[in-house]
């Protein structure tokens, strides 16, 4: 079952998370008013995201060979597999055309996993 969250639900969760991080960081907190930030409030960079993603996949028993980019590829494959028009998918992932999503669809084969 998929649970849909309203914008207010998400906003409340983000604000709660930021408040907990700010309290834990204490004097080190730097408020940049961001929904996604480091443990001290600074903007996330690609390295932060990759490290966090590796921790998540490791805890889930998937190992550490995964990258956040694979979420994007999985999204494209699943949307395509569900019959979403390739033009819509291209727009959702920020492509100007359909060439990249189509090639990702062909290269992923028929399996969602590794």
């Amino acid at each position: 079952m998929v649970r849909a969250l309203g914008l207010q639900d998400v906003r409340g969760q983000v604000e709660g998370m930021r408040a907990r991080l700010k309290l834990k960081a204490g004097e080190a907190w730097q408020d940049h008013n961001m929904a996604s930030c480091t443990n001290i409030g600074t903007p996330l960079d690609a390295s932060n995201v990759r490290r966090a993603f590796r921790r998540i996949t490791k805890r889930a028993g998937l190992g550490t060979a995964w990258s956040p980019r694979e979420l994007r590829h999985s999204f494209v494959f699943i949307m395509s597999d569900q019959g979403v028009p390739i033009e819509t998918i291209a727009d959702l992932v920020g492509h100007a055309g359909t060439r990249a999503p189509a090639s990702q669809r062909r290269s992923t084969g028929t399996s969602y996993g590794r």
Side-chain angles (χ1 to χ4, degrees):
M1 179 177 188
V2 174
R3 179 176 173 233
L5 294 175
L7 188 54
Q8 292 303 320
D9 294 328
V10 174
R11 183 177 180 172
Q13 289 179 8
V14 168
E15 287 172 354
M17 177 204 64
R18 288 183 68 237
R20 288 187 298 277
L21 287 174
K22 184 176 182 178
L23 184 63
K24 187 175 180 180
E27 297 277 328
W29 182 258
Q30 300 175 37
D31 198 346
H32 292 269
N33 199 28
M34 305 184 87
S36 297
C37 59
T38 67
N39 290 337
I40 61 168
T42 56
L44 289 172
D45 63 20
S47 295
N48 297 124
V49 174
R50 282 191 300 270
R51 268 193 309 276
F53 193 76
R54 280 195 302 266
R55 282 193 302 268
I56 291 166
T57 59
K58 185 177 181 179
R59 282 187 211 144
L62 300 172
T64 59
W66 294 83
S67 73
R69 182 141 183 92
E70 289 172 290
L71 292 175
R72 180 183 177 95
H73 292 185
S74 296
F75 173 80
V76 169
F77 177 80
I78 292 168
M79 296 296 284
S80 180
D81 198 48
Q82 294 296 311
V84 175
I86 199 72
E87 296 80 11
T88 302
I89 298 169
D91 185 51
L92 289 170
V93 298
H95 285 283
T98 59
R99 185 168 173 246
S103 66
Q104 289 170 5
R105 170 68 171 96
R106 284 192 298 272
S107 69
T108 58
T110 58
S111 175
Y112 291 150
R114 287 184 165 221

